Amino acid sequence: MAMDLVDLVPIPASVEHGEGAFVLGEATALVAGPGTETVARWLRNTVGVALGRPMPPGEAGTQGAIDLRIDPTLEPEAYRLTVTQRVEIAGGSAAGVFWGAQTFRQLLGPDAYRKACADPGARRGITRQVVEDAPRFAWRGLMLDVSRHFMPKDGVLRYLDLLAAHKLNVFHFHLTDDQGWRVEIKRFPRLTEVGAWRARTKYGHRASELWDEKPHGGFYTQDDIREIVAYAAERHISVVPEIDIPGHSQAAIAAYPELGNTDVIDTTRLSVWDTWGVNPNVLAPTDNTLRFYEGVLEEILELFPATTSPFVHIGGDECPKDQWKASPAAQARIEELGLAGEDGLQSWFIRHFTGWLADRGRRAIGWDEILEGGLAPGAAVSSWRGYAGGIEAARAGHDVVMCPEQQVYLDHRQAAGPDEPMPIGYVRTLEDVYRFEPVPPQLTEAEARHVLGTQANVWTEVMQDQGRVDYQVFPRLSAFAEVAWSALPAPAARDFADFERRMRSHYPRLDALGVAYRPPGGPLPWQRRPGVLGRPIDGSPPNV
């Protein structure tokens, strides 16, 4: 294996180099074997357009062609890219072929990432080589919060392309929260008429005295959602919609006040929340609330079909119990159901919707608080407060996605210097993310099989626009993608210097894609936010 010439991100399992080169010419044909037609269309519409190469269809055996084919001897997401005087991209499934096509694109250089051909006369060559590769984890994800700050549809489609370029295959779509409801539900139109808009927005951390007085909001129509899901599916990305239950629900209660604890507060006076933190206004444990959210989820299941969205995220985190403690109706419900207090009431909510989804062929996943009070069989856990929830869930036989806040929350600041914009949380450098290990050593081999994979989470309280999201996400997502895809050594033994070397080739690709990443030397002047209060935490994060 000769890896010294590799500048790929994530790093592949093996590369063998040879003598000579393949040249992508004006007449180079693209041969799509059975099952690879969508990958061929993607290659033509992206790489072909970017490099000014039409890639006309060809027949099997065409001289000097690019051949796409499915090889059932390979694992489903594995691929083998063979570059001689022709190119063959073989994958265990269409997904494997697609990941091989992403590697092919990287080898063609930064120009392959543009929207149109900047240099039609340039020679497009790749040295002879064989790349063999397969992912470590089946779940390689990014969670994007579009509730705190709305990202228009085109921005979401762009992020799906950025995920695909890094061989990430799960998009966790955080659609509802206290600060905004972002998906059209036809039977409950006020969710977007009222719940998608707030009058103003806290600027910076919730302790900041600054406000953005401009109204903020937006939502995706049902056709927008169908488009996003179809776009993701063409890129072999699963979409996990999140509808928060029973906390993080003020936007829904503002739209439909009967969903709240009306015997404790006047819910008709609530508006969509304009600041950050843990909100006390949670759903009332009534039959009306259950029927309402069943109606919501019926439309969600139609918009996110099981083929691309086998999991539905139901939140379950940060649900204060104060209103339930003060509510005669909630206390009567606890007594009626024989529950163990307010924690039991939250578990009752989660169990209800876990079962409801299971009856319809879907799997519920929730933040690790859903373990409290017991978790229904089949439910999976997003371990966010550290590793502990994931360890507990795996030992109990539940599948886990590892996304500990202390390691892979990309809203946390990237350096300790004063120029980091709106600094939040612990310092998590590019190297810190590169040395993140998703599987805790405390798990046995059998328990570790419950770790489906890992995802990085992007909470957007202090990310008002796409440029701010880019700055927080990149280049750290490139390091995270390698952790999720590649079979790396133990954290301390990882060759970060080589990763940095390969990133020198990867930054021009991100430049061509228009990604406003944090430069290695620190933020550029227009990326700073001087004088805006954050919440930096000193020291190393706890390993919990």
Side-chain angles (χ1 to χ4, degrees), residues 141-362:
L142 177 78
M143 188 229 68
L144 181 63
D145 164 25
V146 296
S147 297
R148 274 50 177 269
H149 280 98
F150 179 65
M151 180 176 284
K153 180 193 69 179
D154 285 353
V156 174
L157 300 177
R158 172 179 177 267
Y159 257 83
L160 290 170
D161 280 329
L162 291 171
L163 293 189
H166 290 83
K167 300 186 174 74
L168 297 170
N169 69 341
V170 177
F171 179 60
H172 177 166
F173 205 7
H174 184 83
L175 288 164
T176 74
D177 218 299
D178 301 300
Q179 294 87 358
W181 185 285
R182 305 293 179 215
V183 55
E184 178 189 23
I185 302 296
K186 290 188 180 295
R187 73 189 74 181
F188 302 124
R190 286 177 60 83
L191 284 172
T192 45
E193 290 170 2
V194 174
W197 309 94
R198 60 179 183 258
R200 64 175 187 168
T201 300
K202 177 64 72 174
Y203 193 63
H205 183 253
R206 61 180 175 271
S208 166
E209 296 181 356
L210 301 175
W211 292 90
D212 181 347
E213 297 291 347
K214 183 174 66 177
H216 178 84
F219 66 92
Y220 310 103
T221 67
Q222 295 205 346
D223 281 343
D224 289 340
I225 293 289
R226 292 186 182 99
E227 179 184 357
I228 289 166
V229 169
Y231 198 85
E234 288 180 356
R235 287 149 184 78
H236 301 278
I237 294 171
S238 298
V239 183
V240 180
E242 181 175 352
I243 305 295
D244 264 311
I245 301 165
H248 288 291
S249 298
Q250 183 162 319
I253 297 168
Y256 292 92
E258 65 272 20
L259 296 173
N261 294 283
T262 56
D263 56 346
V264 177
I265 63 161
D266 180 2
T267 56
T268 64
R269 297 174 64 85
L270 293 178
S271 57
V272 177
W273 212 25
D274 57 12
T275 189
W276 320 123
V278 178
N279 188 299
N281 297 302
V282 302
L283 297 175
T286 64
D287 288 342
N288 175 66
T289 300
L290 297 184
R291 301 295 87 78
F292 184 95
Y293 275 86
E294 287 169 0
V296 168
L297 288 169
E298 282 176 6
E299 295 193 27
I300 291 293
L301 296 193
E302 181 193 338
L303 294 171
F304 296 89
T307 49
T308 51
S309 302
F311 286 90
V312 175
H313 208 289
I314 55 176
D317 63 315
E318 295 182 330
C319 179
K321 312 298 192 297
D322 298 345
Q323 290 185 358
W324 291 346
K325 288 176 181 174
S327 164
Q331 292 302 311
R333 197 80 202 231
I334 289 170
E335 186 173 350
E336 170 199 341
L337 296 169
L339 300 174
E342 292 77 24
D343 285 344
L345 197 56
Q346 176 165 345
S347 180
W348 168 79
F349 259 111
I350 299 302
R351 283 176 174 270
H352 176 85
F353 287 103
T354 297
W356 189 92
L357 288 166
D359 290 344
R360 289 154 182 80
R362 305 297 182 96

